Amino acid sequence: DWLQRNSKLFLLLGMLALAVLLVPGVGLDINGSTRWLSIAGVRIQPAEVVKLVCIIYIADYYARKQASVHLFKVGVLNIGIPIMMVATLLLLQPDFGTTVVIVALAGAMMFLAGVRIRVFIAVVLAGVAGMALIAVLEPYRMERLTVYLNPWDDPFDKGFQLTQALMAVGRGGWFGVGLGNSLQKLNYLPHADNDFLIAIIAEELGAVGVMAVMGLFGILLWRAFTIGARALQLGQRFGAYLAYGIGLMLVFNALIHVGVNTGILPTKGLTLPLMSAGGSSMIISLVAVGLLFAVDRRSRIPAPRRRRRT
């Protein structure tokens, strides 16, 4: 109830944190991106917090507006404007990967809330076109796309991360080289403990290990939707949409992470939820799972019985 009452405030604070990053000298510039704030020596990545904040805001909005969600203004426009504002702040960092995750989450939750199918399809097409245009207009993003298509053209510079990741995946085969026996994590593959973790899992535990990890994320998504469905049956719409959004957030992140590590998607700096090293990502993932438990617990509490009048 407290989260739902303060969802707008959380969104405003999240947007403020993203805006503060753009003030010269405030945000930490690492590898050409200004994504971190340093508070008392602790690095915080506001984008990770904003992902969860957007889910809370969208869940609250659709829970309140359920009766008129079929209207374009209510179902799409009113939720699209704040999400585009968040996306703009993220792109200015720049952080294209998190932008894609948040926009995809908003679209998925829009569909689950009951927006008309033809309107939803139009929104998806517009979103894909917008993301493609953003990628083409920025030279460095276009460069990443071309390198991703054939990283072996420049394996020691622009294609270095992806080629090293692919070597790790190829070396692992079906069953891997054994837990702890990876060579690529010995200063060959950059960010082996976070952005390219699944490549190391593939090297050490093989394709079977990767499928096991993805199977666990599949179970997590199934449980999140089961919890959400039960909450929805009890009329707890906010809890239901919150559960859906959390499950989708964790799995979207995992799918993009695996896609990047295996060369299916262009290189983006996204961690593997609940597994990659990283303070902000790990904390927000744990908070999200905690909220999922909270929705589950609340949906199991029996409704109070009314006393019969004598």
Side-chain angles (χ1 to χ4, degrees), residues 23-308:
V23 178
V26 176
L28 297 176
D29 193 317
I30 301 176
N31 296 328
S33 297
T34 310
R35 302 179 186 176
W36 292 267
L37 290 172
S38 181
I39 301 175
V42 178
R43 289 182 182 179
I44 298 173
Q45 191 172 0
E48 293 293 334
V49 181
V50 168
K51 274 192 287 191
L52 184 56
V53 164
C54 284
I55 291 172
I56 294 170
Y57 176 79
I58 296 170
D60 169 48
Y61 177 82
Y62 282 130
R64 288 186 289 107
K65 303 291 185 180
Q66 186 61 42
S68 52
V69 73
H70 61 283
L71 301 175
F72 177 78
K73 180 181 178 181
V74 177
V76 177
L77 192 60
N78 288 350
I79 206 69
I81 291 173
I83 294 301
M84 288 301 105
M85 292 171 66
V86 169
T88 301
L89 291 169
L90 286 169
L91 290 171
L92 291 174
Q93 294 183 9
D95 189 348
F96 188 65
T98 304
T99 304
V100 171
V101 171
I102 289 178
V103 172
L105 277 172
M109 292 181 72
M110 189 181 295
F111 173 77
L112 292 170
V115 172
R116 289 178 178 174
I117 294 295
R118 62 175 180 269
V119 174
F120 172 73
I121 293 173
V123 170
V124 170
L125 293 175
V128 171
M131 292 294 109
L133 183 62
I134 291 169
V136 170
L137 290 178
E138 285 289 346
Y140 83 93
R141 290 195 184 106
M142 197 62 197
E143 186 178 83
R144 280 188 176 183
L145 285 172
T146 54
V147 169
Y148 136 79
L149 293 173
N150 196 355
W152 302 102
D153 285 346
D154 193 3
F156 299 108
D157 188 11
K158 296 179 177 64
F160 183 76
Q161 288 180 315
L162 182 53
T163 53
Q164 295 298 318
L166 291 175
M167 281 190 276
V169 173
R171 186 167 179 264
W174 278 104
F175 300 103
V177 296
L179 188 65
N181 293 327
S182 166
L183 292 178
Q184 290 301 109
K185 68 182 180 184
L186 303 178
N187 293 325
Y188 291 102
L189 177 61
H191 308 293
D193 59 347
N194 45 57
D195 293 352
F196 285 90
L197 178 62
I198 202 72
I200 302 303
I201 293 174
E203 184 181 6
E204 295 188 352
L205 303 179
V208 172
V210 173
M211 286 188 287
V213 171
M214 295 312 297
L216 290 172
F217 276 104
I219 293 172
L220 178 60
L221 182 64
W222 168 66
R223 288 299 301 141
F225 269 64
T226 301
I227 291 167
R230 186 171 62 241
L232 195 61
Q233 287 177 349
L234 296 172
Q236 301 171 6
R237 291 191 176 277
F238 173 70
Y241 295 145
L242 184 62
Y244 295 153
I246 287 170
L248 289 168
M249 178 187 77
L250 296 172
V251 171
F252 278 175
N253 256 45
L255 288 174
I256 294 174
H257 178 93
V258 173
V260 167
N261 279 241
T262 53
I264 297 172
L265 297 173
T267 304
K268 292 294 167 195
L270 287 177
T271 57
L272 185 62
L274 302 170
M275 296 186 70
S276 289
S280 298
S281 173
M282 180 61 75
I283 289 171
I284 292 302
S285 295
L286 293 174
V287 170
V289 173
L291 291 176
L292 194 57
F293 276 119
V295 176
D296 178 54
R297 183 178 65 246
R298 181 165 187 173
S299 66
R300 292 175 187 270
I301 297 174
R305 294 180 180 179
R306 294 182 179 179
R307 292 182 180 180
R308 293 181 179 180

